[in-house]
Amino acid sequence: MSLTVNCIPQTPQVATKSALPFGISVQPLRPSEPLPIADFGVGGIVRCSQCRAYINPFATFIDGGRRWRCPFCDNANDVPSFYYNSVDHMGVRMDLDQRPELVHCACEFVATADYIRRAPQPPVYTFVIDVSSVSINNGLALIAADVISKTLDHLLLVNEMTRIAFVTYDTAVHLYNFQTGSNQPTMMVLNQVNDLEIPHGYPFLALLKDVKTSVENFLAALPKMFANSKASQACLGSAAQAALHVQKSLGGKMIIISSLPPTVGRGICNPSFDNKLLGTPKETTVLTPSVDFYKSLGLDCSKYQVSVEYFLCSSGHHDAASLSIASTMTGGAVHHFPNWNLGRDAVSFGSQLQNLLTMPRGWESVMRARCSSGLEIQQFHGNLHSENDLIVFPVLDANKSVALRLKHTAAIDTARRGHFAYFQAGILYTSDTSERRIRVYTTCVPISDNLNNLYSACNPETMVHVMSKVAIQHALKTKLIDSREVLVNQLQTIIQNYKQSNPGVMSGDLSLPASLQSLPLYILALVKNIALRPTFNVQPDDRIAGMDYLRTASIEMASVFIYPRLYSLANMPDECGVPDSETGLVTLPPLENLTITRLQGGIFLMDDGVHLILWFSVQSDPSVLIELFGTPHLENVATTQITSWPYNPELDATCLYNRIASTITQITFGRLGFQKFVVCREGDVTHASIFLPALVEDRQLNMHSYFEFVQQLQRTSQS
C-alpha cells in the first residue's frame, strides 16, 4: 500500500491549495516474503466496534490493557477476555512477540466462521477455446491445448481439489462431460446459439485429479477433432454464457481464447470501425462498447464469483472495447496479440497463459479500505466491481492493483487524534489452497498544514500510477483530448501553486522539490502513451489493451510502461551484465534518456513492461553482429523468429551474448507478467510501431519534446 503523498493536509482548504492528487495504490496480493499469520481462534477477530477497523500496530491499550483505542475513529473498545494481556507502564502489551497483528503493518488473519458464508472455494478453471477454421489453421487451438496440458500437474500440486471444464466453439457451442474411468469425454453440441438450452445433471465441471488422463487425451486430440472444420465464424458470446452456466455454482476463472470476434449468436460485435475517427475527438466512440451484452455478462459473472480473462489473437479488429467490459468488471485482463503469427507469438502466448495459470491468486475476494476521521475514499479505479464501499474481485491475481482517491470531509482534529492520519485495506479471500484469509495492510503518515511539507513528501511513481487510472476512466467517459488536457492542467496548477508558496523561486524557473522533479517527465510520457496519445495509427484494440494494462499494473510495472527504461549495451562497463559470484545479482547497464540522439550507432535494450526490445542501429559494429549472430549483416538474420535470449552455459559469462542474457534475467526477476522479447533493427516495423513512439523525450505526433514541454510549463507558470 503506497500513498501518492506521504503527508496529509490538515484541512480541505490546504489540500485544494496544493493541487496535489491524494490517493492510495494497493496491490492486494503483492508477492512478498510470507506474511506473519494471526489466528484469533474461536474468540473471533478483534475489530473496532464503531468503524470496524482491524486491530493493528497503531492501536493503543488503555485502562491497564482492558480497552484499546482505535486510531481511525478514536473509539475506546473493550478488549475481549480471550485477547487480554497485561501492559507495562507505557501501555505496551507484554505479549507482543506472540501478536504479529500488533507488530506488523502487513499481516494475514485466519478467517473465522463469521467470514465464511460457504465452504471455501477450490480453484476452478473453465477454458473457452475458439475452434473455428481460423483458430485451427493459425495454430492457436494447438498451442493453447499444449500449454494447458503442461500446466495440469501444477494445478493439482497447488490444490488437489481443483475443478476444470472446457467449452469450445465455432458456429456452435460444444460442452464436454468428463467422467471418472473414461479415457475421453463425451461432447454435447449446442447449435441454437441464440437461445442456449443447457441440460441439467451433466458434470461438465470435473474434479481434475479424477479425470486428468481424460483431459490430457482430449487436449492432445483437440486440434484434430476440428481439423476439417469449415466454420469461419465464432459465437464467442454464446460460449461465454455457456461457460458461466457450467461454473456458476462454484465461481472461478473463465479463460477465453479467441481468434475471431463474435459474429454469430449472442453478443455480436462490430466487425469493423471507421478509420477516419482515429486521432479525432470522436475516437472515443470506437473505444466504448458497441453492444451491452458483455456488460450484462460481467455483472452476472461478478454475481457468481467468476472472473473473465481474454486472450485475443486475431489478424484484424476484435472489438476489444466491447469484450473487455466483462474482464474489467470481474478483475480479469485482456492479453492482446495483434496480427497473430504462430511462429512469432507462440512463445509469448504460451508463457503468458502458463504464467496466468501458475500465478498465486485469491478466490471470491472482496476488499474494503478505511481511513482516519476527516478523510474518505472518494472513488475506486481498476479492473473491479464496487458495491458502495466494497470492492469485489471474483478472482484476484497477484499482479493486479487498484487505486483509491482520497477526499477530505472535514478538517482533521489533531488536538484530539494526534498528528497522524491512518489508512487500512482489508482483503478477504480464499487462497489457492482453499484457506479463507484476511490480508490487512495498515499505515500512517503525518498531518501538516504546511504546503512545503506536502510537496516534499510526494511519491511521483505512485502519483502517476493513480493519475493514469483516473485519466483512463475520464477518457472513456469524455474524450481522449480532454483526459490529456486534465493531466497537463493539473501539473501546471501544481507548479504554479508550489511557486506561490515559495516566493523565492524565480517566476520563469521550473525549480521543483526533489520529490516532484520527475513528475513533468512522467506526465509527458503518459499523454504520449499508447493508451492516451493522439495518433491516427493506433488501432482501437491496441489502445484498449494499453488502457487495460494501466488499469491493472502495479506501481513498478506502470511506471516502466509509461516511461520505458533504455539500457545501452554496446559499451557496458566491465561490471555490468555479469552475475556476482556471491549474490548472483547482476549490475544493470547505465540508463539512457528516451531520445533518438542517444541511439547513434549501438545496441540498446528497451524495457516497457510489455516488451523487451533488443534494438540494433544500422551502424552497429559488424564484429559485434558476428559475435551475436554469426554474420556482419543484420538483414541476414530472421529477427522475427528470435523470441527469447536464453543464457548459454557453454559460453563465457563475460561474452556479450551472455551479458545481454544476464541483464534480461535481472530486469525481469520477480516480475509476475511475461514480457514479449523482440529483436528490432533500425527502420523495421517494430522500430516504427513500438520503439520510436517510446522515445517520449523527442517531438512526435505534433506533441512537444520534453525540452519544449518544460518551456511551456515555464511560460504557463509565469501567467
Side-chain angles (χ1 to χ4, degrees):
M1 185 162 63
S2 176
L3 276 73
T4 57
V5 185
N6 284 327
C7 186
I8 293 296
Q10 184 175 353
T11 66
Q13 293 76 19
V14 174
T16 301
K17 191 174 181 179
S18 74
L20 293 171
F22 292 94
I24 308 173
S25 173
V26 184
Q27 188 177 351
L29 298 184
R30 177 183 176 87
S32 64
E33 295 295 322
L35 295 180
I37 297 175
D39 190 346
F40 293 83
V42 295
I45 295 173
V46 178
R47 301 179 67 175
C48 176
S49 61
Q50 181 167 296
C51 71
R52 303 302 293 159
Y54 295 94
I55 189 77
N56 59 81
F58 305 107
T60 54
F61 288 87
I62 56 179
D63 293 346
R66 294 178 179 83
R67 292 197 297 168
W68 66 277
R69 189 174 298 282
C70 175
F72 291 88
C73 65
D74 205 42
N75 183 52
N77 299 271
D78 292 331
V79 173
S81 58
F82 79 90
Y83 197 68
Y84 171 78
N85 200 281
S86 58
V87 297
D88 63 15
H89 66 287
M90 298 292 292
V92 178
R93 284 175 61 118
M94 307 300 289
D95 63 344
L96 284 185
D97 59 336
Q98 303 171 41
R99 292 295 181 187
E101 70 276 9
L102 300 179
V103 177
H104 299 277
C105 291
C107 190
E108 290 239 312
F109 295 1
V110 176
T112 55
D114 297 344
Y115 300 87
I116 304 175
R117 292 188 298 177
R118 64 175 184 175
Q121 173 189 326
V124 177
Y125 298 93
T126 299
F127 297 94
V128 185
I129 304 174
D130 183 345
V131 292
S132 66
S133 60
V134 174
S135 183
I136 296 298
N137 293 332
N138 68 18
L140 178 61
L142 173 66
I143 188 68
D146 183 60
V147 174
I148 295 168
S149 183
K150 290 177 179 177
T151 60
L152 296 179
D153 287 334
H154 174 83
L155 297 181
L156 284 176
L157 182 65
V158 172
N159 192 323
E160 65 173 8
M161 300 306 292
T162 296
R163 263 73 166 180
I164 196 167
F166 290 89
V167 177
T168 60
Y169 67 97
D170 42 30
T171 54
V173 175
H174 322 114
L175 303 179
Y176 299 88
N177 182 7
F178 293 89
Q179 295 181 335
T180 304
S182 175
N183 289 328
Q184 287 284 353
T186 56
M187 181 171 70
M188 179 179 294
V189 181
L190 305 177
N191 289 306
Q192 301 299 320
V193 293
N194 285 306
D195 187 19
L196 290 176
E197 292 187 9
I198 302 175
H200 297 279
Y202 290 88
F204 297 118
L205 195 62
L207 190 61
L208 179 56
K209 69 177 181 179
D210 292 342
V211 298
K212 181 171 177 286
T213 300
S214 180
V215 169
E216 290 173 332
N217 293 339
F218 162 74
L219 290 170
L222 181 61
K224 297 178 182 178
M225 290 168 56
F226 298 93
N228 298 321
S229 172
K230 304 298 182 182
S232 59
Q233 294 185 301
C235 58
L236 186 156
S238 300
Q241 273 195 325
L244 175 59
H245 177 86
V246 166
Q247 66 183 127
K248 68 180 183 180
S249 62
L250 286 177
K253 200 79 170 174
M254 182 194 300
I255 301 171
I256 300 175
I257 300 170
S258 169
S259 279
L260 291 172
T263 53
V264 293
R266 304 295 305 277
I268 296 175
C269 295
N270 283 342
S272 61
F273 62 93
D274 187 353
N275 274 288
K276 296 178 182 178
L277 297 177
L278 301 185
T280 72
K282 294 184 179 180
E283 183 176 357
T284 307
T285 60
V286 299
L287 300 176
T288 51
S290 59
V291 293
D292 292 331
F293 175 85
Y294 296 94
K295 180 178 180 180
S296 298
L297 176 67
L299 289 171
D300 289 341
C301 286
S302 182
K303 175 182 176 182
Y304 292 109
Q305 299 291 336
V306 174
S307 175
V308 179
E309 199 93 7
Y310 289 105
F311 285 79
L312 305 181
C313 313
S314 62
S315 59
H317 182 59
H318 222 119
D319 199 2
S322 295
L323 299 176
S324 63
I325 296 299
S327 57
T328 298
M329 298 178 68
T330 60
V334 174
H335 306 262
H336 185 222
F337 297 83
N339 302 312
W340 168 263
N341 178 281
L342 184 65
R344 182 194 64 212
D345 297 323
V347 170
S348 178
F349 171 87
S351 298
Q352 287 194 38
L353 179 55
Q354 182 180 37
N355 180 267
L356 175 69
L357 295 176
T358 56
M359 182 186 302
R361 55 178 44 91
W363 306 84
E364 49 186 351
S365 310
V366 294
M367 174 178 137
R368 182 174 272 118
R370 52 183 57 85
C371 44
S372 298
S373 298
L375 299 168
E376 70 175 10
I377 307 296
Q378 184 180 18
Q379 283 182 315
F380 311 117
H381 301 273
N383 281 6
L384 51 86
H385 177 61
S386 60
E387 299 174 358
N388 297 320
D389 64 338
L390 190 69
I391 306 175
V392 179
F393 306 96
V395 181
L396 179 58
D397 298 328
N399 63 344
K400 298 293 196 302
S401 72
V402 297
L404 316 175
R405 293 174 67 189
L406 296 173
K407 175 186 176 182
H408 276 75
T409 57
I412 301 175
D413 186 356
T414 55
R416 181 181 177 188
R417 305 188 187 282
H419 290 271
F420 289 92
Y422 300 89
F423 303 90
Q424 186 177 83
I427 304 95
L428 174 63
Y429 72 100
T430 300
S431 70
D432 283 321
T433 53
S434 297
E435 297 174 285
R436 201 70 171 145
R437 295 287 179 85
I438 305 171
R439 182 169 295 193
V440 178
Y441 298 102
T442 312
T443 190
C444 77
V445 296
I447 297 170
S448 178
D449 58 3
N450 185 302
L451 286 174
N452 284 335
N453 288 344
L454 301 178
Y455 290 124
S456 63
C458 291
N459 288 328
E461 284 78 18
T462 306
M463 194 173 287
V464 77
H465 183 248
V466 173
M467 293 172 76
S468 67
K469 294 179 188 292
V470 175
I472 288 167
Q473 183 170 319
H474 186 260
L476 293 175
K477 288 184 176 180
T478 56
K479 301 174 184 176
L480 288 168
I481 188 173
D482 292 343
S483 187
R484 294 191 296 267
E485 288 179 351
V486 167
L487 287 167
V488 175
N489 290 340
Q490 185 169 10
L491 173 63
Q492 291 173 337
T493 305
I494 290 172
I495 294 172
Q496 289 173 335
N497 291 8
Y498 171 74
K499 290 185 175 182
Q500 290 176 6
S501 65
N502 291 271
V505 176
M506 296 180 61
S507 61
D509 193 5
L510 198 61
S511 297
L512 289 170
S515 61
L516 281 174
Q517 286 179 358
S518 62
L519 187 61
L521 183 56
Y522 270 125
I523 295 299
L524 177 64
L526 178 56
V527 298
K528 289 185 176 184
N529 185 270
I530 190 172
L532 295 175
R533 68 174 176 251
T535 179
F536 299 94
N537 58 7
V538 172
Q539 297 298 299
D541 288 350
D542 296 338
R543 197 184 291 279
I544 288 294
M547 290 180 168
D548 187 79
Y549 186 87
L550 281 177
R551 269 198 304 260
T552 60
S554 65
I555 294 174
E556 175 202 1
M557 299 310 297
S559 65
V560 172
F561 186 62
I562 292 168
Y563 186 86
R565 304 322 188 229
L566 183 65
Y567 301 91
S568 177
L569 302 180
N571 299 299
M572 285 188 282
D574 292 342
E575 69 274 12
C576 295
V578 181
D580 184 89
S581 58
E582 295 182 1
T583 65
L585 298 178
V586 176
T587 300
L588 295 178
L591 283 170
E592 301 288 347
N593 291 87
L594 293 178
T595 171
I596 201 167
T597 59
R598 298 300 180 97
L599 304 178
Q600 304 304 317
I603 306 173
F604 295 84
L605 181 67
M606 178 178 284
D607 167 27
D608 70 0
V610 176
H611 306 88
L612 282 167
I613 305 173
L614 187 59
W615 184 91
F616 291 85
S617 165
V618 293
Q619 301 173 347
S620 296
D621 187 341
S623 64
V624 171
L625 298 180
I626 292 174
E627 178 184 351
L628 296 177
F629 302 109
T631 174
H633 305 292
L634 197 60
E635 57 267 25
N636 296 334
V637 180
T639 55
T640 58
Q641 301 303 310
I642 302 175
T643 56
S644 62
W645 197 275
Y647 188 89
N648 188 343
E650 296 182 0
L651 299 177
D652 190 273
T654 60
C655 73
L656 181 58
Y657 178 94
N658 276 344
R659 293 175 74 190
I660 293 174
S662 296
T663 297
I664 292 172
T665 300
Q666 185 64 45
I667 289 172
T668 57
F669 178 77
R671 292 183 178 177
L672 287 173
F674 177 84
Q675 292 180 235
K676 184 178 181 180
F677 181 78
V678 182
V679 175
C680 166
R681 57 175 176 259
E682 185 176 357
D684 70 9
V685 174
T686 303
H687 171 81
S689 63
I690 302 177
F691 192 84
L692 278 182
L695 301 179
V696 296
E697 296 185 44
D698 291 333
R699 182 177 178 82
Q700 54 185 233
L701 303 170
N702 297 319
M703 300 189 74
H704 292 312
S705 68
Y706 181 56
F707 176 74
E708 294 168 333
F709 186 60
V710 169
Q711 287 186 316
Q712 175 190 332
L713 293 174
Q714 289 174 335
R715 289 193 297 269
T716 304
S717 67
Q718 293 175 343
S719 61

